[in-house]
């Protein structure tokens, strides 16, 4: 619209709208007339005639719109609010036209977002309108606020990081202080170098260890100063390579201090890199391990030396390896072993070892001394002082003849230590070195210990050699002793046979002569011969027995034994003696009923016979008591035998000698009572052998009491004498091979007691000839025979005539020789069994039962056989010997028998002559007479035989009649001896 | 150069390479500024050094950095900073560019310390105009190119700019022909 102004200038409507796009005019009634284009955008409901108040509300001033007020307050700043959009407009009011008003203003925006909200853009505003600028300023403030916030956030973050960094820094500082303190105080050397290995920093420990100050080493490589001639070049090269490669390493190396002292160091190097990985430094920590290495070397050398000394040999043999070990482990160049001759006081070089053989040879040649005496050289010093000696420089060692040689060889330090046993120096070990070394206390101690070790080795080898020598001598002595014992045993066996045989002959001859017609003088002489022979026989038996016991050749043969029966049997031997001496003989059997024990009855009887014999010998009035009891049970059983007498007793001061051999209590007793002096010694030995004891009761008086205690396992085994009887076929014969007639006769009698028939061959040749024709069931072979002995005969028989016989013929050895080697030889010769003389019936029966199984004519028939008939009438004999306490009657009876024996043999000879002369009648008459005599004496078997011969011609003329008669008499005499101890 | 421009570099570098790289760039550029205040004035040299450092670190040419930087400035920094005012500057690319001179005039008045360039728009057609870039600064043509490219993306009107006059060629100022 063209509105003229007061000056008549015009602004076009378009320009006006452009200049004031948010203008509005209203009329006098307050209705809208015109408006600007941008206001229309804000207020789409604008229309002419619309009430201004309806569209806008006053904000400031707050009074309701009045046109008059609007026209007449040009000085007021009006802020109006569009009711629809709530947008604020700010501007001025002026009167317009006659009654109307005009608003000139623009939106008041508190935030650029309102532009978008109200769909306004910059172009909606007049270019001059500062509203947009205001928005810019507002925006700018926001941006500034945002910047401030960012800054604050950054500061906060930085503050936090700073705090953390401070904390880390504080910690690092503390750590650094600690590390600095450690670095300061540690004895280890700490070095910091640059990336090329040149020193940048050292700790005080480095200076203490090496002697170098920081000033002296700064900028240099540590190795330039610390390495020396003996530092391993390969290790130096290794370190260099690692440094160049920027890598860490750990190594042990020999270094030198500033004062040229050698030391071993454990050296650990680590690279230090920046955060970006760039190598910046090397850090090295060095620990002085010289002492440790020295200790390790000392231990190693002690171990090696111990191993070498463990060899069971001589010092001479191990000297070289010993010296080699010492030099190698302790790093010496040469070692010499000097051995001392204590008499001549000279030290002699015994062994040498050098790490460099040329050096040691040069030195020895220069020294030219293998012996040292009256010289104050190192070995001599050690030897005299008996202590380790250290020489720092041999070249300057005064008064030593080898100092020049050492010096010329380049040898400097030396040490010598003694080899000692107690206070005695055996030698010296001398060590020499090319370098000058100060004394090393720990090595000195190790060397002194080695010296003691070697000394002990020498002592041990000396003792071993001496022991060996003594052992050899002992072995030689033992061998000689064994040979002597064998000789003795063979002699004894031989002499036993050689003495027994003639002795048996003397006894037999005396007995043969006894029945003959002798005058009193002859009879007395014969008695002497007979008793002397018997005594000699007893002495021989005792001596041989004692000798066998002492040599350990007695073998015990325990057997199940009915003890009560044994006690009674043994006691019966002395009933006659008791009667003769009119002594009360009491047998006290305290054994439980049916007690059986495992015991060697032969040896037990021997002991008891000895004790009872002594008791009866030394008792003249009173009693002898024989008591037997057992203690314990089962295998712990113990048999106790007590022999108590009321005799002469034993003086107290003689008790110690009682059991010693050949120690009769006094000479007068010996003369009076006789005896061999071995009985108690043998009995004691036997009791000990049997595991028991034999003692005298020292408290028992008057008289004596001997107590024998033996282990006697109580068994439930049946006694041996319940063996089943033996039976062979009627025609079976037992061949007896013995050159002695009496032995053969006895055996035949024993066999007859067993219901068997024996054939006697007097030589091995006869036996062989016999066996060609006959097959004996068993052969009883005496060992000792002239021409061919029993073993040889056995070999011949088994190889020839008996070779293919079936069943085989057992051969049993008969001998008094009980040595094991004899037994072994018999079995080796092919013999099947062994019987010891004198042969007992039970032994014979057991041997026969063992070896006889079947005969050629049929199997073994186990039939009970009647007990062998007694050769005497026990009632008559007992009556004759029942003379009680009457010694005169005993003497009469003895004389009576003596006379009877004297008559018997001549009668038998007469009968034999008469029958051979075919004077049957006279012969039978003589039989009749003799029969009566013998019957009166109780010799029933012989009397019976005579009766048969008296009444039967054929029986009289039978070939074996006389022998049978004589056998009966022998059997009777044996029974008489057993029953009444006749001839004791 | 005011801080918002350097902020744009920081934002762009942090977004693409991370904060550590930005710190590295700042160190390299020897620009020891923790936070660029948007409306604060900083020596132009900072911007040049930062661009150079960014070029070195990212191994990209400086011009390339500036173009990317210009786009980033429009699409992120300025848009976030000015917000609706950017959009209020024009409803389309053409209008915005036409209003650009006034926009800069207002900025000059609000921030007297700043020395913004002067823009003039001539030869406005339906699909092109000539944008005159009058500045005392050198070496930021690529930045302007980036700005224009960014504006085109902001208004979803892809635009190209061609330097049709430059001081290097003896002209008074740089003239970009913007076409869309």
């Amino acid at each position: 619209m063209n509105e003229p102004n007061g000056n008549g200038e015009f602004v076009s409507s378009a320009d006006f709208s452009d200049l004031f796009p948010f203008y509005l005019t209203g009329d006098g009634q307050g209705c809208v007339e015109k408006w600007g284009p941008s206001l229309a955008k804000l207020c789409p409901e604008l229309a002419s005639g619309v009430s201004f108040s309806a569209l806008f509300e006053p904000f400031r001033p707050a009074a309701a719109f009045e046109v008059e007020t609007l026209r007449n307050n040009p000085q007021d700043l009006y802020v109006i609010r569009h009711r629809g959009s709530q947008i604020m407009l700010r501007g001025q009011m002026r009167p317009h036209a006659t009654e109307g008003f005009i608003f000139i203003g623009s939106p008041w925006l508190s935030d650029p977002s309102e532009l978008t909200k109200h769909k306004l853009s910059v172009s909606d505003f007049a270019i001059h309108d500062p509203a947009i600028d205001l928005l810019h300023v507002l925006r700018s403030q926001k941006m500034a606020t945002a910047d401030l916030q960012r800054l604050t956030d950054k500061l906060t973050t930085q503050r936090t990081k700073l705090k953390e960094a401070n904390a880390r820094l504080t910690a690092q500082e503390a750590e650094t202080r600690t590390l600095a303190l450690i670095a300061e105080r540690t004895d280890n050397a700490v070095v910091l170098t640059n990336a090329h290995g040149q020193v940048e920093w050292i700790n005080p420990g480095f200076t203490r260890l090496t002697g170098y100050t920081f000033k002296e080493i700064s900028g240099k490589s540590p190795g330039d100063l610390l390495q020396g001639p003996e530092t391993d070049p390969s290790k130096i090269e290794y370190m260099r390579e690692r440094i160049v490669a920027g890598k860490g390493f750990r190594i042990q190396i020999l270094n030198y201090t500033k004062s040229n002292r050698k030391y071993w160091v454990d050296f650990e190097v680590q690279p230090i890199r920046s955060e970006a990985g760039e190598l910046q430094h090397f850090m090295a920590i060095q620990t002085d391990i010289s002492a440790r290495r020295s200790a390790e070397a000392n231990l190693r050398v002690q171990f090696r030396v111990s191993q070498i000394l463990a060899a069971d040999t001589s010092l001479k043999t191990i000297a070289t390896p010993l010296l080699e070990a010492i030099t190698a482990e302790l790093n010496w160049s040469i070692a010499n072993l000097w051995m001392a001759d204590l008499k001549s006081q000279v030290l002699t070089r015994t062994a040498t070892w050098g790490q460099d053989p040329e050096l040691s040879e040069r030195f020895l040649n220069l020294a030219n001394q293998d012996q040292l005496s009256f010289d104050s050289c190192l070995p001599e010093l050690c030897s005299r002082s008996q202590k380790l000696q250290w020489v720092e420089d041999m070249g300057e060692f005064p008064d030593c003849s080898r100092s020049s040689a050492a010096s010329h060889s380049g040898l400097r330090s030396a040490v010598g230590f003694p080899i000692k046993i107690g206070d005695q120096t055996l030698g010296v070990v001398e060590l020499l070195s090319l370098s000058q070394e100060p004394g090393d206390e720990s090595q000195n101690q190790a060397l002194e210990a080695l010296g003691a070790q070697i000394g002990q080795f020498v002592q041990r080898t000396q003792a071993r050699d001496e022991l060996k020598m003594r052992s050899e001598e002992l072995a030689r002595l033992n061998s000689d002793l064994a040979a002597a014992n064998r000789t003795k045993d063979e002699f004894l066996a031989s002499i036993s046979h050689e003495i027994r045989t003639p002795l048996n002959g003397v006894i037999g001859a005396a007995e043969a002569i006894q029945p003959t017609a002798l005058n009193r003088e002859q009879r007395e002489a014969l008695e002497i011969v007979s008793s002397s022979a018997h005594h000699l026989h007893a002495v021989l038996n005792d001596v041989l027995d004692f000798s066998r016991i002492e040599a350990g050749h007695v073998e015990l043969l325990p057997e199940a034994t009915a003890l009560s029966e044994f006690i009674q049997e043994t006691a019966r031997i002395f009933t006659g003696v008791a009667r003769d001496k009119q002594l009360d003989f009491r047998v006290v059997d305290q054994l439980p009923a049916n007690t059986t024990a495992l015991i060697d009855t032969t040896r037990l009887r021997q002991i008891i016979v000895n004790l009872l014999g002594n008791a009866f010998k030394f008792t003249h009035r009173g009693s002898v008591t024989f008591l037997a009891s057992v203690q314990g049970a089962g295998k712990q059983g113990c048999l106790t035998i007590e022999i108590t007498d009321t005799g002469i007793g034993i003086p107290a001061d003689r008790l110690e000698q009682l059991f010693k051999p050949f120690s009769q209590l006094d000479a007068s007793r010996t003369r009076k009572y006789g005896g061999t002096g071995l009985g108690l010694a043998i009995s004691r030995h036997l009791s000990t052998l049997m595991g028991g004891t034999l003692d005298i009761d020292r408290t028992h008086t008057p008289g004596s009491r001997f107590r024998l205690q033996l282990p006697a396992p109580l068994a439930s085994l049946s006694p041996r004498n319940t063996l089943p009887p033996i039976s062979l076929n009627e025609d079976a014969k037992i061949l007896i091979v013995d050159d002695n007639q009496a032995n053969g006769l006895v055996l035949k009698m024993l066999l007859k007691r067993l219901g068997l028939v024996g054939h006697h061959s007097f030589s091995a040749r006869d036996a062989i000839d016999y066996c060609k024709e006959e097959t004996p069931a068993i052969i009883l072979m005496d060992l000792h025979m002239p021409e061919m002995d029993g073993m040889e005969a056995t070999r011949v028989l088994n190889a020839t005539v008996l070779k293919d016989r079936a069943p085989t013929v057992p051969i049993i050895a008969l001998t008094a020789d009980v040595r094991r080697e004899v037994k072994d030889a018999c079995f080796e010769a092919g013999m099947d069994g062994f019987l010891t003389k004198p042969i007992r019936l039970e032994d014979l029966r057991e041997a026969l039962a063992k070896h006889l199984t079947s005969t050629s004519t049929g199997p073994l028939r186990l039939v009970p056989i009647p007990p062998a008939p007694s050769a005497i009438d026990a009632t008559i004999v007992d009556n004759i010997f029942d003379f009680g306490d009457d010694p005169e009657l005993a003497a009469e009876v003895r004389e009576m028998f003596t006379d009877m024996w004297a008559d018997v043999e001549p009668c038998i000879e007469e009968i034999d002559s008469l029958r051979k002369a075919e004077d049957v009648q006279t012969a039978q008459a003589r039989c009749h007479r003799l029969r009566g005599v013998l019957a009166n004496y109780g010799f029933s078997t012989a009397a019976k035989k005579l009766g048969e011969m008296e009444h039967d011609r054929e029986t009289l003329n039978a070939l074996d009649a006389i022998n049978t008669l004589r056998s009966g008499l022998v059997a009777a005499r044996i029974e008489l001896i057993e029953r009444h101890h006749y001839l004791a | 150069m005011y801080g918002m421009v350097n902020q744009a570099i920081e934002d762009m570098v942090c977004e693409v390479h991370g904060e550590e790289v930005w710190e590295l760039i700042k160190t390299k550029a020897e620009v020891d500024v923790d936070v660029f205040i948007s409306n604060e004035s900083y020596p132009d040299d900072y911007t040049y050094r930062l661009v150079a450092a960014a070029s070195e670190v990212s191994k990209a040419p400086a011009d390339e950095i500036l173009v990317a930087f210009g786009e980033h400035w429009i699409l992120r920094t300025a848009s976030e900073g000015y917000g609706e005012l950017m959009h209020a500057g024009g409803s389309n690319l053409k209008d915005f560019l036409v209003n650009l001179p006034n926009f800069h005039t207002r900025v000059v008045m609000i921030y007297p310390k700043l020395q913004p360039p002067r823009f003039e728009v001539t030869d406005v057609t339906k699909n092109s105009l000539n944008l005159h870039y009058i500045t005392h600064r050198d070496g930021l043509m690529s930045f302007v190119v980036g700005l224009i490219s960014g504006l085109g993306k902001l208004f979803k009107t892809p635009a190209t700019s061609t330097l049709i006059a430059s001081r290097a060629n003896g002209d008074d100022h740089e003239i970009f022909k913007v076409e869309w």
Side-chain angles (χ1 to χ4, degrees), chain A residues 111-116 120-123 125-130 132-137 139-141 143-144 147-148 150-151 154-155 158 161, chain B residues 2 4 7 10-11 19 22-23 26 34-39 79-85 87-91 99 102-103 106-107 109-111:
Chain A
D111 191 85
S113 63
E114 290 188 63
L115 285 171
T116 310
L120 293 174
S121 67
V122 169
S123 55
F125 291 75
I127 292 175
H128 68 86
D129 192 340
I132 297 298
D133 301 307
L134 182 63
L135 287 177
H136 270 281
V137 170
R139 194 70 203 173
S140 176
Q141 278 181 343
M143 284 160 61
D147 290 338
L148 277 172
R150 276 196 311 130
L151 189 61
K154 195 115 187 177
L155 284 173
Q158 284 182 344
K161 284 185 180 174
Chain B
Y2 73 139
M4 194 187 251
Q7 272 184 19
E10 178 179 351
D11 289 344
E19 203 166 319
W22 169 243
E23 294 296 329
K26 278 205 298 185
D34 286 320
V35 175
F36 286 107
I37 305 298
S38 305
N39 299 320
S79 295
E80 288 168 9
Y82 288 112
E84 292 76 7
L85 277 174
H87 289 276
S91 59
N99 288 331
N102 284 346
F103 186 92
R106 294 183 200 284
V107 168
M109 299 312 294
I110 295 167
Y111 308 110

Side-chain angles (χ1 to χ4, degrees), chain B residues 83-151:
Chain B
E84 292 76 7
L85 277 174
M86 281 286 290
H87 289 276
S91 59
N92 55 53
L93 177 66
K94 177 181 171 185
D95 286 346
F96 187 89
L97 287 172
V98 167
N99 288 331
L100 191 61
N102 284 346
F103 186 92
H104 265 247
T105 301
R106 294 183 200 284
V107 168
V108 164
M109 299 312 294
I110 295 167
Y111 308 110
K113 289 185 195 172
L114 293 182
Q115 299 165 348
R118 206 159 41 90
F119 288 101
E120 289 179 5
V121 173
T122 61
D123 305 298
V124 180
T125 67
K126 187 181 175 187
N127 294 100
S128 69
L129 54 80
N130 286 345
L131 180 65
H132 298 250
Y133 170 58
I134 302 117
T135 182
H136 63 281
R137 296 185 178 96
D138 290 324
L140 293 178
M141 273 73 76
S142 299
F143 180 55
V144 175
V145 168
L147 289 173
I148 294 167
S149 170
L151 282 170

Side-chain angles (χ1 to χ4, degrees), chain A residues 936-970:
Chain A
N936 286 335
Y937 281 89
F939 291 106
S940 53
T941 302
K944 185 182 173 187
K945 185 67 181 177
L946 284 163
E948 291 167 2
M949 288 164 71
E950 178 191 350
H951 294 107
D952 184 33
R953 188 180 177 136
E954 281 186 31
T955 305
L956 175 68
N957 288 325
L959 283 174
D960 65 343
I962 298 300
N963 280 341
T964 305
L965 185 61
R966 285 200 174 107
S967 296
L969 281 168
V970 169

Side-chain angles (χ1 to χ4, degrees), chain A residues 373-672:
Chain A
S373 63
F374 307 109
D375 193 285
S376 58
C377 207
L378 180 59
E380 274 287 320
L381 266 179
C382 279
S383 177
R384 280 205 297 273
S385 67
Q386 295 194 338
K387 285 182 183 175
L388 182 143
Q389 300 286 339
W390 188 287
V391 174
E392 197 156 325
D393 193 339
M394 278 288 281
E396 295 180 17
F397 190 27
D399 302 325
C400 177
S401 56
R402 298 181 304 147
S403 62
S404 173
S407 184
H408 278 99
S409 304
L411 296 167
R412 304 295 295 280
S413 294
V415 65
F417 60 93
I419 300 170
K420 294 199 302 187
I421 299 178
D423 292 332
Q424 202 179 65
T425 300
L426 302 177
V428 170
V429 175
E430 178 190 40
L431 306 173
L432 300 114
S433 171
L434 284 169
S435 56
Q436 188 167 355
E437 306 282 351
D440 181 343
E441 185 56 36
S442 68
Q443 188 176 121
N444 288 351
Q445 288 177 358
L447 291 175
E448 283 174 340
L450 286 180
Q453 245 183 308
I454 299 169
Q456 287 167 6
F457 169 81
V458 171
Q459 192 176 35
R460 197 169 68 237
T461 51
Q462 284 177 353
R464 179 203 64 204
D465 292 341
E466 191 172 336
L467 181 67
K468 187 179 172 188
M469 190 179 68
R470 288 189 191 281
S471 296
E472 284 170 359
E473 191 180 334
L474 192 63
R476 187 179 53 76
L477 286 174
N478 279 340
S479 175
D480 291 345
L481 190 63
N485 278 336
R486 280 196 299 277
T487 305
K488 186 193 81 174
D489 289 345
E490 285 164 7
F491 170 76
L492 284 175
S494 172
I495 207 75
S496 166
H497 183 262
E498 296 304 322
I499 292 178
R500 279 186 202 274
T501 306
L503 200 54
N504 286 337
V506 169
I507 293 172
E511 287 176 358
I513 296 171
Q514 210 163 34
T516 60
L518 297 171
N519 60 33
R520 184 165 286 278
E521 284 175 355
Q522 288 171 329
R523 198 166 296 285
E524 283 175 0
L526 189 61
E527 276 293 322
I528 292 168
V529 166
S530 182
S531 65
S532 298
H534 280 106
H535 179 73
L536 191 59
H537 195 273
V539 169
L540 179 66
N541 283 342
D542 280 355
V543 168
L544 291 175
D545 217 9
F546 185 74
S547 173
R548 274 203 300 275
I549 290 169
E550 284 242 294
H553 288 164
V554 172
E555 196 178 335
L556 295 178
L557 301 170
E559 56 191 1
T561 306
L563 285 180
S564 288
E565 196 178 309
F566 168 80
I567 296 299
Q568 294 301 330
E569 258 181 31
T570 310
R572 205 174 297 129
I573 297 173
F574 290 91
T575 49
V577 175
R579 208 181 354 255
D580 280 350
K581 296 190 78 172
Q582 295 175 3
L583 296 172
D584 182 14
F585 183 29
R586 302 171 195 155
V587 179
V588 180
D589 185 350
Q590 292 181 344
L591 303 165
N594 301 320
T595 304
T596 303
L598 209 61
I599 204 155
D600 185 327
T601 50
T602 304
R603 296 301 177 179
L604 178 59
R605 182 180 289 112
Q606 185 175 352
I607 298 171
I608 296 172
V609 164
N610 173 251
L611 295 176
L612 281 173
N614 287 341
F616 280 107
K617 190 190 291 185
F618 295 108
T619 305
H620 306 301
R621 57 177 63 83
S623 63
V624 171
T625 306
F626 175 20
L627 185 146
S629 63
V630 290
Q631 294 78 38
K635 288 182 183 175
Q636 310 305 321
C638 177
L639 173 66
T640 301
I641 304 289
E642 274 185 10
I643 309 294
T644 310
D645 65 59
T646 58
I648 63 175
I650 299 161
D653 60 346
R654 302 288 184 178
L655 288 174
E656 290 302 319
Q657 304 167 14
L658 198 61
F659 293 100
K660 290 185 181 170
F662 303 113
S663 60
Q664 298 263 332
L665 295 185
D666 56 65
S668 62
R669 198 183 284 235
T670 308
R671 283 193 298 276
K672 186 175 178 183

Side-chain angles (χ1 to χ4, degrees), chain A residues 643-647 649-650 696-706:
Chain A
I643 309 294
T644 310
D645 65 59
T646 58
I650 299 161
I696 184 168
D697 186 344
R698 291 164 186 251
T699 61
H700 178 81
T701 54
S704 310
R705 175 176 289 155
F706 284 83

